[in-house]
Amino acid sequence: MVPARIAIALAPLILWPATIRAQENPWERQVQQQLEHAAQTISRDGNGWAHDLQVGFMNADESEAFTLTLPSGASYALVGACDNDCTSLHLLLYNDAGNYEVASARTANEPPVVQLTPKEATRYRVKVVMAGCSLNPCWYGIALYRIR
């Protein structure tokens, strides 16, 4: 059993919000700033909401995947960002089964952006690939923007 003094001392660390921790991590902060810049650019064009889907880190040539369901009746932009050690981040969108590529963004030294307009509510598999990282690991972030 943990003594009360130790539990009280550790409580602030357990309850410390993720946003405060991000302020202490310069690489994650770089990613958040890039996503905020993208949100400002999209908002300036009169477009809608943004939602951070994924923030994390990977080594070069690693990938992560997650699922995303989008309703019909709007257009969306899926935007990626990565820290200054990252040289290439790829976004690939697959059908729900993961056997058909719907859209992709494979560019070096530019934030990847995938735009799509589902004709009906659709579930996608999103694959994020850290294609280039000069100093492992590299931080990345993915945000979804409704653009119409």
Side-chain angles (χ1 to χ4, degrees):
M1 185 164 172
V2 178
R5 285 186 305 207
I6 294 174
I8 291 170
L10 293 176
L13 297 176
I14 295 168
L15 301 174
W16 200 16
T19 54
I20 292 172
R21 286 192 302 267
Q23 293 173 359
E24 300 299 320
N25 179 330
W27 302 279
E28 187 175 359
R29 189 172 50 243
Q30 289 171 7
V31 169
Q32 292 291 347
Q33 289 171 343
Q34 289 179 36
L35 292 175
E36 288 169 11
H37 181 264
Q40 291 171 355
T41 301
I42 289 171
S43 295
R44 190 173 39 237
D45 294 337
N47 298 307
W49 53 263
H51 176 67
D52 289 353
L53 295 174
Q54 182 103 359
V55 175
F57 57 91
M58 293 184 280
N59 292 325
D61 299 321
E62 289 184 340
S63 65
E64 293 185 0
F66 61 95
T67 57
L68 170 66
T69 302
L70 296 177
S72 62
S75 294
Y76 303 92
L78 192 61
V79 179
C82 55
D83 69 27
N84 292 340
D85 295 326
C86 169
T87 56
S88 186
L89 184 72
H90 298 173
L91 285 179
L92 298 92
L93 224 62
Y94 294 91
N95 64 338
D96 190 26
N99 57 7
Y100 176 77
E101 186 177 300
V102 176
S104 65
R106 294 178 175 99
T107 57
N109 299 317
E110 290 184 28
V113 178
V114 174
Q115 293 187 13
L116 62 153
T117 306
K119 295 182 184 191
E120 58 187 41
T122 306
R123 185 175 167 119
Y124 298 96
R125 183 171 179 259
V126 179
K127 184 176 181 182
V128 183
V129 180
M130 184 62 65
C133 178
S134 62
L135 184 61
N136 288 324
C138 283
W139 280 82
Y140 73 95
I142 307 298
L144 177 69
Y145 302 94
R146 182 177 173 178
I147 55 176
R148 288 193 282 281

